[in-house]
Amino acid sequence: MDISRRQVLWAGGALSTAALLTGCSGDGESSSDAAGAGGKPRKGGTLRVGALGRASAITRDPHGTQTNESDYLIIALLYDTLTAPGAKKNTTPRLAASWKSSEDLKTWRFTIAKGAKFHDGTPVTADDVVWSLRRLRGTPSGASRLPGIKAENIRAEGEDTVVLVSDYANAELPLLMRLTTFVLKKGTKDKELGKAPGTGPFKLDWFRSGNARLVRNADWHGGEVYLDAIEVKIFESPQAMSNALIAGQIDLASNVGSVAARTAKKRKDIQIVRRPDDMAMPIVMRTADGPFADPKVREALRLAVDRKAMVDQVLSGYGSVGNDILGTGDPAYDEKVPQRGRDLAKAKSLLKEADFDTSKTYRLLTTEDVPGLAESATLFASQVREAGVKVEVVKQESATFWDKTWLKGDLYTTYWGTNDSVIFLASKTMVSESAQNEAGWKSKEFDAAYREATGGKDAAARAAALGELQKIEHDASGYLLWGVAEGIDLAAAPVHGLPELPGYGRVQLEAAWLAR
Amino acid sequence: MAGPLSGTATASGTGVGGKGPGPGSGPGAGGSAATARRAGRAALSGALRLGVLLARRALLLAVLLAVVFAAIELLPGDAANATSERGETAADLERRRHLLGLDQPVLTRFTDWMTGLPSGDLGTSARGESIAELLSRPFPNTLLLGGLALLVTLAVSVGLGCWAALKPGGTADRALSATATGILALPEFVVAVALVLVFALWTDLLPAVTLTDADGSPASWRMLILPVLALAIPQIGWNTRIVRAALADEAKAPHVESAVIDGLPRHRILTHHLLPGALPTIAAGIATSTGMLLGGAVVVETIFNYPGIGSVLAGAVADRDSPVVAGVVAVTGAVITGVLLLADLVRARASGGRV
C-alpha cells in the first residue's frame, strides 16, 4: 500500500484533506467558483444546510440504519470514521491517520490520528475503536459494513493501534470501511446516543426532530474548522428545500436533484454544485436464467440503447454516458475500454443469432424511489423497440419492488450511489457469492480477477487484475449502465469550500466557509 | 335566498360530514334537534345522552382503528421489509419480523395495541421509537396550525357571510357567493403552491418554508402565515357559503320577519335575530371543517416543510408501520371527536335556549 504521500499531507497540513482536494479539482461550471475563486478561507458564520429526511425514520445511532440524509449528515459531522472518501485516491485518512496490511493482506493495522479527542476532552484510545467496531459488527448490516471481519478478530494493540484480521486476503478493506466505521466512546449506552460525545469536526449543540445545531470543535484532530456552526434542517421534499434556498432561508440544499438545478440555473445568486459520478441507475438483465441468460441478448440490448439521449432526457443533461462498468468515479476506472455506442443492425443480428423471441413482450420492472428511475425505464423501452424488442414498463410500489423484484427479476432498474469504487460494486453485486448479486451472475473468470484484484501478491498484479475485471464486466455482466447521474447541491453565493465528491462524500462539510 | 345548503341545521350538518376526508367526520356528526331540545330540559338525561354519545364516538374510533390496521395489512410488504436496509439477509428480516411481532396474526397485534391505548401507551414504531414520543412534538404543531386555520376560517367566513347577508342579492352578496364557490373547489396544494410563488419567491414578503427551533416548534410566527392561509382559504370558501345559507334560512323565520316589520336596524336584526338561530348550522360547518383541515394539513405540511404530523403519517404508511398510523389516527380522531362534541353541545344549547 502506498500511503506515504497521504501521511505527509496529513501530518503537514493545517488544512483537512477534503479542503486540499476541493481546492485542487476545478471542473464543473459555477462549482469552481465555490471552491477556487473565493479567496482565503474566512473564519466564522453559521451554515444552514437543508437535507432530505422523513420524520418517521429519524435515527441517532451512528451504527444504525440511516435512511435519512439529514441524520447521516449530522452523524458524519459529529463522529469520525476510520477512513473517508477522497478524490485522487478514493480512500483518505480520517480518525485513522494511517494503515498497513500484512504481506498476505489479511491482517490490517490502523493507527489512530495523533491528538484525536472526544468532545468531552478524553483522548481516543484503541479500546474505544475496538468497542465501536465490534458494536458495528453486531448490527444486522454489520457483516456488510465490515466485510470478512469477525467481531473476535478486532482487537487493540497498545494505545493507538487497532488490528483487524480478515477471513480472507482483502486489499480493499480500508475502502470498504469508509464512512461506516463511526467511533463512539467505549461503553456508550443506547440510551445515551443522543448526547454521546463524538470525535468529529463539530459538537452537538441541540437536536430536535431531525433538526440540529452543531458548533465548531476547536480541538478537532483533522485540522482547522472555519464555520462557527452548522444548522441542519430536515426536509421531506426536494421542492420545499429548493424553495427555502431561493427564499434565502438556508444556505445549502444538499442533494436536491436536477429539477432544482434547472430552476436555479437562471439565478446569479445561487451556485449549482455538480458532483459527477453520484448515482448509477443501471438496468439489470438476469443472467442466471430467463430470456436474458444468453450473453448475446444482453449484448444486443446494450447496443440498442441510445445512451446520450438517456442522459439528456432522463437526467436533464446532468450526468455522463456510461459504459456498462459500475464504479465510474474510481481513479482505477478503465477509460481504455472502448465506449459502447448504439448499433441497431448489430443488435438485431445478435438477437437473431440467439434465437430471441421478439414476438413476446417483456416486462421491465421499476420504482419511483429516486428521481429519473421510472423515466429511464420508459425511455429505454421505446429505444429498444427500434431493435425489435417489445418492453412494457411496470412501475411497482417501493416496498413491493424491493421485496418481490430486486435480486429476482429478469429485467429491472436498480440504483447505486457508490460510484467511486469498481471493487466495492464488484464485491457487493457481481462476485458469485455476493449477497446482492442483482443479476444472478456467476463467472469463474470474474471471480478469479476479483480475488487477484483484492488479494494479489503485489500492487501491479492487483491493478492488472482490476483492469481484467472491468473488461469482463463490460463484456458479459448483467448490467446495462447507460449513464451516471451527477449529484446536485444548490448553495448561496457566499458558501465556499463545499465537497465535490460523489455519493456520501457530500457530507464532508468540515472545510466549508462563508464569505460574509 | 336559496343556497346549496338550504335546509335544516341537521341536514346541512350531516351533508358537510360526507365531504370531509378527515377521519371521524362520519354520519355521527349530527344529533337530532329533537333529542337536543329534550337534553336541554333535563340535565340528568343530558349527561346520560352525552355519555352515550361519547361511547358511540369511542366505538366508532375503535372501528376506524381496526380498519387502519386491516388496510395496512392489505398493502404489499410489511414493516420489517419496508424498514430494512438493502442487503439485509432473509434471516435478519425474519428475526426482525419476530421482534416486531409481525409473525402474529393481525387481530392479535391489533388487540395488543388497543389494550395499551387506555393507559396512553401508543406502542413502539417499527424503527424502535416510542410512538407517544414520536408524536409528542409534531402533533401539537399540527394542532397549532389547524387551530389557527380554524380560527381564521371562523372569523373570516362569519364576517363575509354576514356582510353578504346584510344586502341579500346585492353586488357584495353575488360576488362573494361566486368567489366562495370558486375557492372551495381549489385543493389545498394549489393554494399552497400559489402562495409560495407569490409571497415568498416573487415578492419575498414571507418565508417560503417553516424551519424549526431548538424546541421543535416553528422558529418564527411569520412562518405560520402561509401554511395557515393555504389551509384556511378553501375552508373559508366552504364555510362562507354555509354561514350565508344558514342566515338566509333563518331570515324566513317568523320572529325575524316580525323584527323586519318592526323596523329594527339591519345590524341589530343580524346580531340579535339571525345569528343566534344560525349558530347550530355554523357550528356544525366549522366542526366538520376540522376534519378537512387536519386532512389538508398532511399535504400543506409537506409543501411548507412544516414540522407536523403529516410527514410522520406519510412515512409511517411507507414503512407499513400500523401502530404509528393507528396512533396518528387515534389522536387526530380524538381531537375531531372532541370538536364535534363541542359543536353538538353548542347546537343543543342554542336550540334548547330557543324552546
Side-chain angles (χ1 to χ4, degrees):
Chain A
M1 289 269 349
D2 165 32
I3 53 167
S4 54
R5 195 173 61 92
R6 265 172 303 168
Q7 279 173 310
V8 170
L9 277 179
W10 196 246
L15 293 166
S16 78
T17 315
L20 279 172
L21 294 172
T22 37
C24 297
S25 64
D27 48 349
E29 36 188 49
S30 46
S31 57
S32 54
D33 299 343
K40 215 169 137 285
R42 207 175 296 172
K43 222 167 167 166
T46 297
L47 182 73
R48 299 162 302 168
V49 189
L52 295 172
R54 292 196 334 228
S56 64
I58 288 170
T59 178
R60 304 294 306 278
D61 190 343
H63 301 150
T65 306
Q66 298 107 18
T67 51
N68 283 346
E69 299 216 351
S70 48
D71 292 332
Y72 188 79
L73 176 63
I74 293 165
I75 287 169
L77 292 167
L78 291 179
Y79 303 94
D80 282 319
T81 51
L82 288 181
T83 58
K88 296 286 187 266
K89 284 259 178 183
N90 52 13
T91 308
T92 58
R94 186 81 181 210
L95 189 60
S98 62
W99 47 85
K100 206 171 168 19
S101 76
S102 61
E103 270 303 301
D104 64 359
L105 296 167
K106 281 185 179 169
T107 306
W108 283 87
R109 281 182 169 75
F110 291 83
T111 309
I112 300 165
K114 277 211 169 24
K117 270 187 273 187
F118 284 102
H119 294 156
D120 62 2
T122 50
V124 181
T125 65
D127 281 345
D128 295 315
V129 179
V130 168
W131 183 85
S132 298
L133 294 186
R134 285 185 174 170
R135 183 176 185 271
L136 176 70
R137 184 63 182 76
T139 61
S141 46
S144 61
R145 286 168 167 181
L146 283 172
I149 312 286
K150 292 196 182 76
E152 63 264 30
N153 292 336
I154 304 168
R155 58 187 169 80
E157 198 174 82
E159 280 294 289
D160 68 344
T161 304
V162 178
V163 186
L164 276 69
V165 183
S166 170
D167 293 348
Y168 45 83
N170 190 350
E172 300 293 342
L173 188 66
L175 179 143
L176 298 171
M177 289 166 49
R178 294 173 318 170
L179 291 183
T180 59
T181 48
F182 292 108
V183 171
L184 290 161
K185 210 165 170 173
K186 182 180 177 180
T188 303
K189 295 197 175 60
D190 286 0
K191 265 187 286 179
E192 300 164 354
L193 282 174
K195 293 204 159 68
T199 61
F202 288 86
K203 301 183 200 185
L204 186 68
D205 182 4
W206 54 260
F207 177 97
R208 191 81 208 219
S209 320
N211 299 283
R213 183 182 155 84
L214 315 167
V215 292
R216 172 174 53 219
N217 174 12
D219 282 343
W220 191 47
H221 64 89
E224 190 172 10
V225 180
Y226 303 106
L227 294 167
D228 286 342
I230 292 182
E231 284 180 5
V232 180
K233 317 279 182 191
I234 184 171
F235 280 85
E236 203 184 334
S237 86
Q239 183 62 51
M241 191 154 86
S242 108
N243 284 348
L245 183 90
I246 293 170
Q249 289 182 271
I250 54 172
D251 307 304
L252 172 65
S254 184
N255 205 26
V256 70
S258 59
V259 177
R262 277 207 311 255
T263 318
K265 219 171 174 180
K266 295 180 203 81
R267 303 190 53 129
K268 287 226 157 52
D269 54 338
I270 293 174
Q271 319 170 41
I272 302 174
V273 182
R274 303 172 65 163
R275 293 176 286 101
D277 301 307
D278 190 56
M279 165 116 63
M281 294 187 244
I283 288 165
V284 179
M285 303 171 284
R286 188 163 179 81
T287 63
D289 42 44
F292 309 101
D294 189 331
K296 286 193 187 114
V297 175
R298 300 201 296 273
E299 174 73 16
L301 288 183
R302 287 195 188 99
L303 290 167
V305 71
D306 183 346
R307 292 156 199 259
K308 177 81 171 52
M310 291 284 274
V311 171
D312 286 347
Q313 291 174 44
V314 175
L315 307 176
S316 309
Y318 290 100
S320 53
V321 164
N323 198 22
D324 306 316
I325 301 168
L326 277 70
T328 45
D330 195 327
Y333 179 78
D334 197 345
E335 308 274 1
K336 290 198 285 290
V337 177
Q339 174 66 50
R340 198 175 259 131
R342 197 179 200 205
D343 190 341
L344 287 175
K346 194 171 171 203
K348 280 180 187 159
S349 75
L350 278 168
L351 288 171
K352 192 163 275 174
E353 267 179 59
D355 214 10
F356 186 76
D357 187 352
T358 47
S359 68
K360 275 200 351 216
T361 299
Y362 299 88
R363 301 202 319 157
L364 169 56
L365 298 154
T366 186
T367 73
E368 289 178 321
D369 273 16
V370 292
L373 195 62
E375 290 83 346
S376 76
T378 310
L379 189 58
F380 171 80
S382 73
Q383 287 180 353
V384 295
R385 189 165 259 279
E386 291 173 48
V389 181
K390 290 201 275 288
V391 171
E392 177 204 358
V393 175
V394 179
K395 271 183 224 169
Q396 282 181 324
E397 200 269 337
S398 177
T400 315
F401 178 85
W402 295 107
D403 192 26
K404 303 267 185 272
T405 302
W406 188 54
L407 303 180
K408 301 177 190 110
D410 287 332
L411 188 66
Y412 63 94
T413 60
T414 188
Y415 58 91
W416 285 94
T418 319
N419 291 307
D420 51 3
S421 168
V422 168
I423 209 77
F424 175 88
L425 289 155
S427 76
K428 296 286 177 230
T429 70
M430 281 170 268
V431 179
S432 294
E433 72 272 11
S434 60
Q436 305 169 46
N437 196 325
E438 296 182 314
W441 195 44
K442 287 188 168 49
S443 156
K444 282 201 183 74
E445 300 82 51
F446 186 85
D447 289 355
Y450 173 79
R451 300 223 191 295
E452 183 63 26
T454 52
K457 287 257 179 306
D458 61 87
R462 286 203 298 273
L466 195 57
E468 176 64 17
L469 177 146
Q470 294 180 60
K471 181 88 180 55
I472 301 169
E473 188 178 329
H474 174 85
D475 291 343
S477 86
Y479 286 105
L480 190 163
L481 181 66
W482 50 268
V484 185
E486 288 173 2
I488 294 174
D489 308 328
L490 298 184
V495 187
H496 298 274
L498 290 173
E500 292 181 1
L501 294 174
Y504 272 127
R506 64 177 170 266
V507 300
Q508 298 179 309
L509 291 178
E510 57 275 0
W513 55 279
L514 288 165
R516 68 166 174 230
Chain B
M1 262 310 144
L5 294 166
S6 58
T8 68
T10 309
S12 52
T14 47
V16 170
K19 198 209 173 196
S25 58
S32 105
T35 38
R37 268 194 293 276
R38 274 201 303 281
R41 285 199 206 103
L44 189 69
S45 82
L48 194 70
R49 171 146 172 74
L50 191 67
V52 172
L53 208 65
L54 267 178
R56 263 178 40 197
R57 291 276 153 76
L59 190 71
L60 197 71
L61 195 56
V63 172
L64 192 70
L65 291 171
V67 170
V68 165
F69 260 79
I72 291 179
E73 189 68 15
L74 289 177
L75 291 174
D78 66 10
N81 222 308
T83 58
S84 70
E85 207 174 341
R86 234 165 121 170
E88 241 176 87
T89 64
D92 288 334
L93 269 180
E94 219 33 68
R95 204 173 52 200
R96 255 156 34 86
R97 199 159 277 145
H98 179 70
L99 221 64
L100 294 170
L102 293 171
D103 44 1
Q104 309 272 347
V106 62
L107 197 65
T108 316
R109 276 184 284 136
F110 177 65
T111 36
D112 278 357
W113 185 80
M114 282 298 277
T115 44
L117 208 52
S119 60
D121 176 17
L122 294 174
T124 313
S125 79
R127 296 178 193 273
E129 306 273 322
S130 146
I131 294 173
E133 207 163 293
L134 198 68
L135 305 185
S136 66
R137 194 64 240 179
F139 192 61
N141 284 342
T142 296
L143 279 188
L144 176 69
L145 179 64
L148 285 175
L150 196 65
L151 281 182
V152 171
T153 305
L154 182 68
V156 177
S157 49
V158 168
L160 289 178
C162 289
W163 187 34
L166 276 176
K167 275 192 188 152
T171 324
D173 188 19
R174 277 180 291 144
L176 270 177
S177 171
T179 321
T181 313
I183 283 175
L184 77 86
L186 286 177
E188 285 93 352
F189 75 89
V190 174
V191 179
V193 168
L195 287 172
V196 171
L197 267 183
V198 175
F199 291 103
L201 300 187
W202 291 348
T203 59
D204 207 13
L205 289 172
L206 288 164
V209 300
T210 312
L211 301 178
T212 37
D213 240 346
D215 68 354
S217 54
S220 140
W221 62 270
R222 293 176 67 235
M223 293 172 179
L224 282 162
I225 300 176
L226 292 184
V228 165
L229 285 180
L231 269 180
I233 286 173
Q235 296 305 317
I236 288 173
W238 178 245
N239 282 290
T240 302
R241 298 219 54 150
I242 292 184
V243 173
R244 177 70 192 90
L247 291 175
D249 271 358
E250 203 57 26
K252 285 188 271 184
H255 74 281
V256 179
E257 280 176 2
S258 73
V260 174
I261 293 165
D262 288 349
L264 291 178
R266 274 178 192 280
H267 65 267
R268 195 177 157 78
I269 297 177
L270 184 68
T271 53
H272 284 70
H273 297 85
L274 285 176
L275 270 179
L279 202 58
T281 313
I282 295 173
I286 289 289
T288 30
S289 274
T290 313
M292 292 190 246
L293 281 172
L294 290 177
V298 175
V299 177
V300 167
E301 283 174 4
T302 307
I303 295 171
F304 291 100
N305 202 48
Y306 189 86
I309 208 87
S311 56
V312 176
L313 181 63
V317 174
D319 284 354
R320 306 287 182 267
D321 205 341
S322 345
V324 177
V325 180
V328 173
V329 172
V331 289
T332 327
V335 168
I336 293 172
T337 303
V339 175
L340 289 178
L341 204 63
L342 211 65
D344 277 351
L345 292 179
V346 168
R347 288 153 49 114
R349 203 182 157 74
S351 12
R354 264 169 59 195
V355 169

